[in-house]
């Protein structure tokens, strides 16, 4: 099976812009979770989607949002970007809400 | 946030030696634990998992030990190789704010000396 794929791999934006990141889960996996990884804060949970519904949510502001499509592909959106949003954004898919398999991540740089 | 990653501990070992990476988890009700390996520029890669009804599980060159009494998890890597150089994260599946979530530890950087 193909692994989790994320696009784009790298992105540069400026403050105030918005960005959309995409994730395609492993075939057959219906759960998709998003994480933000920074050197200072480590891996932080953003949200999880299952069957097109947000099932879990972390402690991030409303500027961070996501959605999931009927084919389980997911997107996350960050509006009004801030410098502190620079991070590696990781997507993980799961078939059972336990073992999560990660994609390579999208590295976002906000200038 | 729900994970801590302020100071990344580092473990240096000689190639061929065994490595032991330790992790303390926070939620005594967590019943599922995973070790991930993250190489530079890549996403975390699943290594091995263990449920709370077990205290040891072995994989290929890796062993995970779980001590629920002191909430401690360890990953043992046998005959460490250069390709084992990475950051290793433990993760616990726990209920936070009424929802089941995977919470990651801070990570340990493993470096291999030739």
């Amino acid at each position: 099976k193909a692994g989790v794929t994320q696009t784009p791999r790298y992105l540069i934006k400026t403050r105030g812009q918005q960005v959309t990141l995409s994730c395609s889960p492993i075939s057959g996996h219906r759960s998709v979770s998003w994480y933000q990884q920074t050197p200072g804060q480590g891996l932080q949970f953003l949200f999880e989607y299952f069957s097109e519904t947000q099932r879990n949510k972390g402690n991030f502001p409303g500027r961070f949002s996501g959605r999931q499509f009927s084919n389980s592909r997911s997107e996350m959106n960050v509006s009004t970007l801030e410098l502190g949003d620079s991070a590696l954004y990781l997507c993980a898919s799961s078939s059972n809400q336990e073992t999560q398999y990660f994609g390579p991540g999208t590295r976002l740089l906000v200038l | 946030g729900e994970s801590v990653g302020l100071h990344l501990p580092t473990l240096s070992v000689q190639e061929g030696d065994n490595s032991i990476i330790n992790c303390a988890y926070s939620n005594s009700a967590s019943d599922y634990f995973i070790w991930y390996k993250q190489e530079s520029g890549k996403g975390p890669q699943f290594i091995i998992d263990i449920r709370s009804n077990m205290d040891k599980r072995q994989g290929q060159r890796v062993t995970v030990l779980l001590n629920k009494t002191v909430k401690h998890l360890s990953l043992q890597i046998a005959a460490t190789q250069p390709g084992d150089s990475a950051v290793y994260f433990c993760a616990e599946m726990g209920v936070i704010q009424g929802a089941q979530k995977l919470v990651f530890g801070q990570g340990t950087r493993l470096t291999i000396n030739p």
Side-chain angles (χ1 to χ4, degrees):
Chain A
K1 281 185 180 179
V4 177
T5 58
Q6 292 187 245
T7 57
R9 292 294 312 278
Y10 304 93
L11 206 50
I12 300 175
K13 291 285 188 179
T14 56
R15 279 181 298 174
Q17 287 187 309
Q18 66 93 26
V19 66
T20 299
L21 311 181
S22 181
C23 171
S24 292
I26 292 171
S27 178
H29 286 190
R30 295 168 64 188
S31 167
V32 173
S33 298
W34 288 90
Y35 294 84
Q36 182 195 66
Q37 187 176 32
T38 59
Q41 296 297 318
L43 269 159
Q44 295 195 76
F45 173 74
L46 281 155
F47 29 65
E48 181 208 1
Y49 285 86
F50 181 84
S51 293
E52 302 179 64
T53 302
Q54 188 179 87
R55 185 160 65 176
N56 282 327
K57 189 178 186 305
N59 298 325
F60 278 80
R63 300 186 297 108
F64 292 81
S65 62
R67 59 177 176 168
Q68 187 179 34
F69 303 94
S70 58
N71 62 358
S72 294
R73 190 178 69 86
S74 177
E75 289 180 347
M76 69 162 280
N77 184 277
V78 188
S79 61
T80 320
L81 283 166
E82 300 177 0
L83 295 179
D85 297 333
S86 294
L88 180 67
Y89 289 88
L90 291 159
C91 164
S93 77
S94 172
S95 62
N96 59 9
Q97 207 184 3
E98 288 187 333
T99 308
Q100 296 187 8
Y101 297 90
F102 284 83
T106 294
R107 186 162 295 281
L108 172 65
L109 177 61
V110 181
L111 302 176
Chain B
E2 295 160 354
S3 72
V4 177
L6 296 176
H7 301 288
L8 199 60
T10 299
L11 175 67
S12 294
V13 299
Q14 289 295 123
E15 183 178 348
D17 287 353
N18 297 333
S19 302
I20 300 176
I21 302 170
N22 296 304
C23 175
Y25 63 93
S26 57
N27 188 348
S28 58
S30 293
D31 60 1
Y32 181 62
F33 305 87
I34 310 173
W35 278 101
Y36 286 94
K37 170 187 180 183
Q38 187 173 24
E39 296 173 277
S40 181
K42 298 182 180 180
Q45 175 189 358
F46 172 88
I47 301 174
I48 192 169
D49 58 0
I50 189 169
R51 297 195 179 279
S52 59
N53 61 352
M54 302 172 69
D55 52 22
K56 181 179 180 179
R57 189 160 188 231
Q58 288 185 291
Q60 187 178 14
R61 278 202 311 119
V62 294
T63 301
V64 55
L65 299 177
L66 174 63
N67 185 330
K68 295 181 287 295
T69 303
V70 295
K71 292 189 286 186
H72 183 268
L73 198 64
S74 69
L75 177 71
Q76 300 179 1
I77 304 173
T80 311
Q81 303 169 359
D84 295 327
S85 292
V87 176
Y88 290 81
F89 293 95
C90 66
E92 59 178 308
M93 182 66 73
V95 176
I96 297 173
Q97 296 175 334
Q100 194 170 22
K101 296 176 185 174
L102 198 60
V103 177
F104 286 82
Q106 62 182 336
T108 297
R109 184 179 304 280
L110 177 65
T111 61
I112 313 303
N113 302 317

